[in-house]
Amino acid sequence: LRRRLRLYDLEAEMKILLIIPCFNEANRLNLRAFDEGREFNKQTGIELSYLFANDGSSDKTEEILNAHLSRNKQDLIFSSKENVGKAN
């Protein structure tokens, strides 16, 4: 029975991808907080990365996210040219 309960290795690295929706967030994006979250999770053995979903922002959101991506290769950006809002 003990062998059956060990279906996974507790020492294995856990990976988490957080999806962050963005629409005209240039004045509110605190990318340092995302970096700090990643550092905290490294200490716990969790590999954290982010997918920023830019939903047609007309401000500098995409520019800020691209600058962030140049320093953080594990993160991703999805950009829509127009705002499609939340799903119905």
Side-chain angles (χ1 to χ4, degrees):
L1 182 60
R2 282 184 194 259
R3 289 185 187 157
R4 287 187 185 181
L5 292 177
R6 296 185 68 173
L7 295 175
Y8 56 90
D9 182 2
L10 293 177
E11 299 297 319
E13 187 173 293
M14 182 183 291
K15 296 180 181 184
I16 297 175
L17 175 66
L18 292 177
I19 301 172
I20 311 295
C22 302
F23 177 70
N24 291 338
E25 301 291 340
N27 292 331
R28 290 181 291 273
L29 273 174
N30 180 0
L31 296 174
R32 175 174 277 177
F34 292 107
D35 293 335
E36 290 171 359
R38 187 184 341 272
E39 287 302 315
F40 173 77
N41 284 312
K42 273 186 186 175
Q43 296 170 9
T44 61
I46 298 171
E47 182 181 321
L48 181 63
S49 57
Y50 303 99
L51 168 59
F52 296 96
N54 180 26
D55 192 15
S57 295
S58 58
D59 63 359
K60 294 188 181 233
T61 298
E62 187 169 8
E63 185 179 319
I64 293 168
L65 292 174
N66 283 326
H68 171 78
L69 188 64
S70 70
R71 296 183 313 275
N72 297 280
K73 301 292 184 194
Q74 70 276 22
D75 292 344
L76 303 167
I77 299 172
F78 170 80
S79 287
S80 173
K81 292 191 187 283
E82 60 184 55
N83 180 273
V84 293
K86 62 182 180 178
N88 293 326

